[in-house]
Amino acid sequence: MNLIRKLWNFAFHTRDGLYLVFGVLTTLVSIAVFAVCDLLFGEERLILNTVLKNVAGILFAYFTNRTIVFKSQNKTAAAKTAEFIQFTVTRTATLFLDMAIVWLLCDKLAVMRATIASCIASAVVIVLNYFASRFLVFARKRDGREKSEKES
């Protein structure tokens, strides 16, 4: 029971745990959107379905990361817009990195199967997205006063 309590506290009471929880939920949202698009538009619209899946995932991730995980303090429309653009650009960049890693490992070097390459690429992307969100997009800016805020 103690292990369950520790896992619960990590998942729902720390920034890293919340990032993982909402990362899983983002993945589920993306898969659901892809499935709905596949039903609506058909399999032959693979690119459209994939783009819509990624747009939905980025939007869901942005709002959950902004409000729940990193608790952004930006209040003005200009600051929120800049934050959203940064988030979208970093997520799009890591999407292309994901595709590049899979292409390199599967097509160019032919050293592994696509599923394994995709798992490796996903691990790299998850880590990069976390650090981009934490230290770039949602970084708390110092305003001259040193804020000593305990982050979990």
Side-chain angles (χ1 to χ4, degrees):
M1 197 61 160
N2 196 22
L3 176 62
I4 294 171
R5 186 183 329 270
K6 284 182 181 181
L7 287 173
W8 179 269
N9 286 335
F10 171 75
F12 296 102
H13 298 288
T14 68
R15 180 185 50 229
D16 297 346
L18 287 168
Y19 185 81
L20 291 173
V21 167
F22 285 102
V24 169
L25 290 175
T26 298
T27 302
L28 294 175
V29 165
S30 295
I31 291 168
V33 168
F34 185 86
V36 168
C37 289
D38 190 48
L39 287 172
L40 293 174
F41 307 125
E43 241 178 65
E44 61 278 356
R45 299 291 181 124
L46 184 61
I47 300 297
L48 174 65
N49 299 345
T50 302
V51 167
L52 293 174
K53 168 190 93 160
N54 279 285
V55 167
I58 288 171
L59 289 172
F60 182 82
Y62 171 72
F63 288 108
T64 57
N65 278 247
R66 181 183 197 296
T67 58
I68 300 169
V69 177
F70 295 104
K71 297 177 175 74
S72 174
Q73 301 299 310
N74 288 330
K75 303 225 184 290
T76 67
K80 289 178 186 178
T81 301
E83 186 179 77
F84 178 73
I85 290 169
Q86 266 188 320
F87 187 85
T88 302
V89 167
T90 59
R91 290 298 168 114
T92 303
T94 58
L95 170 63
F96 285 117
L97 178 63
D98 186 340
M99 293 186 296
I101 291 170
V102 172
W103 171 80
L104 179 67
L105 295 175
C106 295
D107 292 345
K108 192 70 174 163
L109 300 177
V111 294
M112 63 185 59
R113 299 179 62 114
T115 302
I116 296 169
S118 182
C119 289
I120 290 169
S122 291
V124 170
V125 165
I126 289 167
V127 170
L128 289 175
N129 282 339
Y130 175 78
F131 284 110
S133 291
R134 180 172 177 196
F135 296 111
L136 180 65
V137 178
F138 300 111
R140 294 213 168 96
K141 311 294 188 269
R142 302 283 181 194
D143 62 359
R145 301 182 311 257
E146 285 300 311
K147 297 177 186 175
S148 60
E149 182 175 324
K150 180 184 167 199
E151 290 184 315
S152 35

